[in-house]
Amino acid sequence: MNKLALTLSLLLLPLLTTFAYAKTVAGYEFGKYPAKVYTGKKAPLKLGEWKLFKTRLSDAHKDGTINFAGSYIVEIWGCGTGCISGAMIDKKTGQVYGLPDDNDGLAYDGCYSSDDEHQEDERLQFYPNSRLFIKRSCTQEELSDTTARQSITYEVYAWHEQHKKFQHLKTVKQNKIVSIDWN
């Protein structure tokens, strides 16, 4: 049974990688920002100014799963109702870097609807084999007892490895009317 699971995993891995590359959000395709996934040894963690988040970052570093831009371990934590924040660890150097955010946290989701297509984990989108990082925030205005207008903002960034910083590529805004069931 274990041999069968391993064989299936090896066969499906290229398909999952292709799927990550094929995904498009706010008009940006993750495959156009490729990153080769690092397979070397993990460097010791260097917290620097991130000592306040030592437990979260140490646990993420210990796990060591690269989930962004080829060599980074992104760790996310809550910062209030609907708010998330986080940092990322370079597995090659152990250095911690901030994620693109503002004073209100990394991403805020204040949108709800009866047929909500956006899940909480969609507020941030990134992949191990891509340098593209997209955050989604949403605000909502009640129009009636059964409808609301959602204003969705996508902030699109690319990680630049040589400069060790994010470049803001574009802000994409979308509005839509949704059904609301307050019951």
Side-chain angles (χ1 to χ4, degrees), residues 21 29 34 36 38 40 49 61 64 74 79 84-85 97 105 108 110 113 132 143 161 166 172 177:
Y21 268 102
E29 188 177 322
K36 184 178 178 188
Y38 176 70
E49 65 187 57
H61 182 259
V74 174
C79 54
I84 56 175
S85 192
Y97 298 93
Y108 177 76
S113 71
L132 194 63
L143 299 175
E161 185 63 23
F166 284 96
V172 178
I177 307 298

Side-chain angles (χ1 to χ4, degrees), residues 32-52:
K32 291 187 178 178
Y33 299 85
K36 184 178 178 188
V37 178
Y38 176 70
T39 57
K41 187 177 177 183
K42 175 175 49 175
L45 182 60
K46 299 172 186 161
L47 287 170
E49 65 187 57
W50 292 91
K51 290 183 173 109
L52 184 61

